Amino acid sequence: MASVPPPIPNPAYYPPPRRRSIFGPIILITIGVVFLLVNAGFVTAKSAFVIFARYWPVLLIIWGVLRLVEYLRARQEGVQPPGIGAGGVIGLIFLVLFGISVSTAYKGSQHVNWNNVRNEIDMPDDEFGKWFGQKYEFTETLDRDFPANTSLKVVGDRGDVKISASNDGKLHVIERKVIYADNQDEANKMNQAVLPTITLVDNIMTVDTTRRSEWKGSALNLDIMVPKKALADVMITRGDITIFGREGNVKLQSQRGDISVEDITGSADIHMRNGDFTAKRVSGDVTVEGKAGDVTVSDIGGFTSLQGDFFGGINFTKVAKGVRFKSSRTDMELAKLDGNLTMESGEMRGNSMTGPFRMNANRGWDMHLEEISGDFRVENQRGEVELHPKAPFGNLEVSNRQGRIKIVMPQAAGFLVDARARHGEIETDFELTKTDDHREVRATGTVNKGGPKLTLNNESGAIELRRN
């Protein structure tokens, strides 16, 4: 039987193929080129943002022209012109909405005080500055006569300040500017606009580096050399302050930045909101108020006071006239510190401490204090308290909740004991009278003919009284 040839397809049922639009690939190529230029440093992120905000409707024009060209070419070749499709419609809507949003943001940014914005956010200058141009640096030197009995005052927006002693009795200022701009000409103009002023009024010489909303100047760092006996008053918005080799009082204030004072014959008054603080070899008092991270204080001839919120480790070493520490968690005062006292991560360790010592903590510390003398009074909770007195020690009064109390006494010490443990136990190496009514254990007595009194109270925790 002869085979039957296959039917010839009817062209009416098989329309010519539809071409795909090239607009999508062009958009992807354009985005890739822009990101490449920004990453390579040929175009700043700010320039790319401004160009898109101003000229994004050009993409709609290019899309329309390409659609028209594709339609005419498809008609000439007898094929169906490419359609828009659901993806194309969504992409077009996204482009329009995104373009309008960027344009609105750009127009609004013209009225924003970017200096204030940068002061509020925690972003490095280099990261913030990349959005506003390339980095340019300038260095200049200013010299002035500095009359006797004159004080120095420094006021600035943003930048580090370093103060040291001059050898010729004059004022020398080395300014190092960091400016972000689109080009060298713009940077040069900014450099001329951002100039410090130096004035002398009523025996106060003021170095003013505030930039008056010139937010493109990322930082104006100062190295200042001034006669060592001049009093120094520094107030900056954001930046580190370093001052050393002074024979006069210093007053320093920074809203965001580290502060360091060393080799000061005088007192240091510090106000800060964020940053680490260091004080070494200060003959007078050291006062710190505000908020700080790590704090290191050593070799202080006067009194040291810390008041505020402190979020890092705190270290005191050799403070002649005592320590005052007050925060939302702890109120502590110590008469003299010949050794070291550290406070970090809920742990307090110290040695060679002379009372009167007083501490009231509404949140728990694990305390370990050795070689203590004088009167000590501790109120603690949710932490352990361990004290090692040395002769001549004074009265010890310890109250604790939900944590152990341990007292290690010298071998031949004489003292009186009144210890109470509610819902806890008492362990002792000394012959004391103990009573137990199942809710409270009490130990009392006289050791080695008596002496200072140990008053120990614990709730939901044990008491240990040991012999060294």
Side-chain angles (χ1 to χ4, degrees), residues 266-269 282-287 300-304 321:
S267 297
D269 185 6
V282 179
S283 68
D285 298 336
V286 175
T287 304
I300 308 301
F303 181 76
T304 297
K321 295 185 179 180

Side-chain angles (χ1 to χ4, degrees), residues 255-314:
Q255 295 186 17
R256 188 181 296 270
D258 300 339
I259 296 180
S260 176
V261 296
E262 295 187 24
D263 297 314
I264 305 297
T265 303
S267 297
D269 185 6
I270 311 299
H271 298 263
M272 57 194 306
R273 289 182 55 189
N274 192 315
D276 299 336
F277 173 70
T278 302
K280 298 180 180 180
R281 298 178 297 279
V282 179
S283 68
D285 298 336
V286 175
T287 304
V288 181
E289 294 185 2
K291 299 179 180 180
D294 293 335
V295 175
T296 302
V297 177
S298 62
D299 297 307
I300 308 301
F303 181 76
T304 297
S305 174
L306 272 63
Q307 298 189 49
D309 295 318
F310 302 90
F311 306 103
I314 300 173

Side-chain angles (χ1 to χ4, degrees), residues 147-167:
N149 301 321
T150 297
S151 300
L152 173 68
K153 184 175 182 178
V154 180
V155 183
D157 286 338
R158 197 180 192 96
D160 300 338
V161 177
K162 179 180 178 182
I163 299 179
S164 58
S166 63
N167 297 322

